[in-house]
Amino acid sequence: MPLPAPLVDALTDHGLSPQAHAPLQRRTWWQVGGPAECFLRVGNLEDLRAVARLCSTHKAPVFVLGNGTNLLISDRGIQGVVIQLTRDLAKADPLPADPTVIQAGAGTKLAVLLKKALRHGWTGLEVFAGIPGSVGGAVRMNAGARLGETREVLHEVDVVLPDGSLRTLPAKDLNMAYRHSDLPRGAIVATARFALRPGDPQTMRDQVQAHLDHRARTQPLDQPSCGSTFRNPPGDYAGRLIEASGLKGYRVGDAQVSEKHANFIVNLGGATADEVRAVIEHVQHTVKAQHGVHLEREVHFAGDWSHWPLAGA
Ligand SMILES: Cc1cc2nc3c(=O)[nH]c(=O)nc-3n(C[C@H](O)[C@H](O)[C@H](O)COP(=O)(O)OP(=O)(O)OC[C@H]3O[C@@H](n4cnc5c(N)ncnc54)[C@H](O)[C@@H]3O)c2cc1C
C-alpha cells in the first residue's frame, strides 16, 4: 500500500524532508538492496517523537536504519518510512553530573563513542572495538565480541514508542542475551547511557589495538559484508561448521562465502540481495544435512521478501 499523501504532508509541515524512493544500497555494508519508499533523517528527540506519532496515526510502518552493518535489505526495498538518526541523536558526551556515565544518541557510531571514552580515560567501551555499528544497533543486537558485550556496560536507554511517548528502561529490563535484546514492540532507541570506570589509557589503547589487529588477520575487512552471518550454536562455531562442510568459496552470482572467514558472506562487487539470501539458505541447508545443526541467522532481513522463495530455487 503506498504511503498516504497526508502523512508526507504532515512530515513536511513538521519541518522534515521526506525523500521518496531513496536508494539504500550504499547505506548498508553489504551494498545490496532496493530503495526506501520514504527516507527521513531525524536529528532530535522531539522530531523523532513526532515521526513515531504521525506514522502510527497514518498506520505507516517505520523502520530504523542504524549503520546498516547487520542488515540484508530486499532488492524490492522497504515499504513505509525508513529513518536514520543524525545530529543531536548521533552525539556522545559524559553527563555533567556524573562523568563516568557517557550518554550517546542512538545514531552515534560505536567507533566514535569508543574514541571519546578512550580520550576521557574511562574503561568499558572497549567491547565495541572493531564493531562498525551504531549505538541503537548495538543495543538492539547486544553487540559484542571477545572483549565483552553491550549488556556489560549499558546502564539504561530512552526509547520512543509508536504513540510518540518516551520511556526510560534500565538495561536489566531488556533481557539482553547473546545477540539479543527485548525492546518493547515498535520501540526506537533514542539515547543510551553507559556506565564506565576509570582506566589506564595506554592499557586500554593496547587492548583495542591488539583486538583490531586480530580482526584484520582473521576477517575479510576489505570486502563488503555484514560481519558474522550466523550466530554460533551452543558449544561450537558457525564458521567451523561451514568450513567443515566444504563451503568456503561457495558462490551464487557475486555473493560468496569468504575464503578468509567462513561465517562472513562477501559481496564480490555486483551481488544482489537475492544472491546473498541464496548463499545464506544453501549454507543453512548444507550444514544441517552434514552436521545436523541449524544455523540461526545473526543478520536481520528487512523489506519486502514476498517474492521469496524464488521460482525454481
Ligand atoms: C565487518 C563487520 C564486523 C562485525 N563484527 C561484529 C562483532 O564483532 N560483534 C557483533 O555483535 N556484531 C558485529 N557486526 C555486526 C554489526 O556491526 C552489529 O550487529 C551492530 O550492532 C549493528 O548495528 P547497526 O547500527 O549497523 O544496525 P543495523 O544493521 O542498521 O540494524 C540492525 C537491527 O537493529 C535495528 N536498529 C538499529 N538502530 C536502532 C534503534 N535506534 N532503535 C531500534 N532498533 C534499531 C534495525 O532496525 C535492525 O533490526 C559486524 C559487522 C561487520 C560489517
Side-chain angles (χ1 to χ4, degrees):
M1 208 172 58
L3 214 57
L7 170 59
V8 178
D9 292 345
L11 292 169
T12 310
D13 290 348
H14 192 83
L16 296 161
S17 309
Q19 253 177 281
H21 305 293
L24 294 177
Q25 197 176 358
R26 298 289 155 207
R27 295 183 190 277
T28 76
W29 276 48
W30 250 322
Q31 300 190 2
V32 300
E37 183 180 11
C38 173
F39 180 75
L40 264 186
R41 282 194 193 81
V42 182
N44 64 59
L45 189 57
E46 283 322 304
D47 285 352
L48 182 59
R49 296 178 68 176
V51 169
R53 194 171 19 82
L54 289 169
C55 290
S56 170
T57 306
H58 291 276
K59 297 190 174 23
V62 179
F63 182 83
V64 198
L65 180 64
N67 206 28
T69 63
N70 203 41
L71 273 186
L72 182 63
I73 294 177
S74 157
D75 293 318
R76 294 183 168 192
I78 303 182
Q79 296 297 304
V81 178
V82 174
I83 62 169
Q84 205 162 34
L85 306 179
T86 60
R87 297 203 314 269
D88 293 356
L89 295 174
K91 277 189 196 159
D93 279 301
L95 288 184
D98 180 358
T100 62
V101 176
I102 287 199
Q103 171 163 294
T108 312
K109 294 201 172 93
L110 297 174
V112 171
L113 181 62
L114 172 58
K115 216 180 259 177
K116 197 148 251 186
L118 289 177
R119 196 177 317 132
H120 286 275
W122 301 118
T123 185
L125 295 178
E126 298 90 309
V127 299
F128 294 142
I131 303 180
S134 67
V135 165
V139 171
R140 176 76 177 77
M141 302 301 304
N142 182 27
R146 291 149 59 106
L147 299 180
E149 292 181 322
T150 307
R151 65 174 162 178
E152 293 163 34
V153 275
L154 185 65
H155 174 53
E156 59 186 15
V157 291
D158 300 326
V159 297
V160 171
L161 298 175
D163 63 0
S165 63
L166 186 66
R167 203 182 323 154
T168 298
L169 301 170
K172 66 175 172 44
D173 288 2
L174 301 182
N175 296 321
M176 295 174 94
Y178 175 52
R179 302 300 163 267
H180 170 87
S181 69
D182 279 338
L183 289 170
R185 200 177 169 74
I188 300 170
V189 180
T191 326
R193 285 177 283 282
F194 298 93
L196 310 179
R197 303 176 309 281
D200 172 49
Q202 195 54 49
T203 310
M204 288 153 58
R205 279 201 188 89
D206 290 348
Q207 196 185 25
V208 166
Q209 193 54 52
H211 185 67
L212 295 180
D213 291 347
H214 173 79
R215 280 178 178 266
R217 277 195 307 276
T218 56
Q219 300 180 354
L221 299 182
D222 53 347
Q223 290 172 300
S225 80
C226 267
S228 293
T229 315
F230 302 100
R231 299 152 64 97
N232 288 322
D236 210 336
Y237 293 97
R240 190 199 72 76
L241 289 162
I242 298 167
E243 188 169 352
S245 304
L247 289 169
K248 265 190 168 178
Y250 174 79
R251 178 173 172 181
V252 176
D254 261 357
Q256 185 184 47
V257 175
S258 165
E259 299 275 6
K260 193 166 179 182
H261 190 314
N263 201 11
F264 281 54
I265 294 173
V266 294
N267 178 353
L268 297 175
T272 63
D274 277 347
E275 288 168 356
V276 175
R277 182 161 173 171
V279 173
I280 288 175
E281 295 196 357
H282 179 78
V283 167
Q284 284 176 316
H285 178 79
T286 309
V287 169
K288 177 77 180 164
Q290 293 198 17
H291 300 276
V293 177
H294 172 67
L295 290 182
E296 272 181 43
R297 265 188 292 114
E298 182 173 319
V299 298
H300 286 194
F301 285 175
D304 176 5
W305 286 98
S306 58
H307 62 297
W308 200 267
L310 299 174

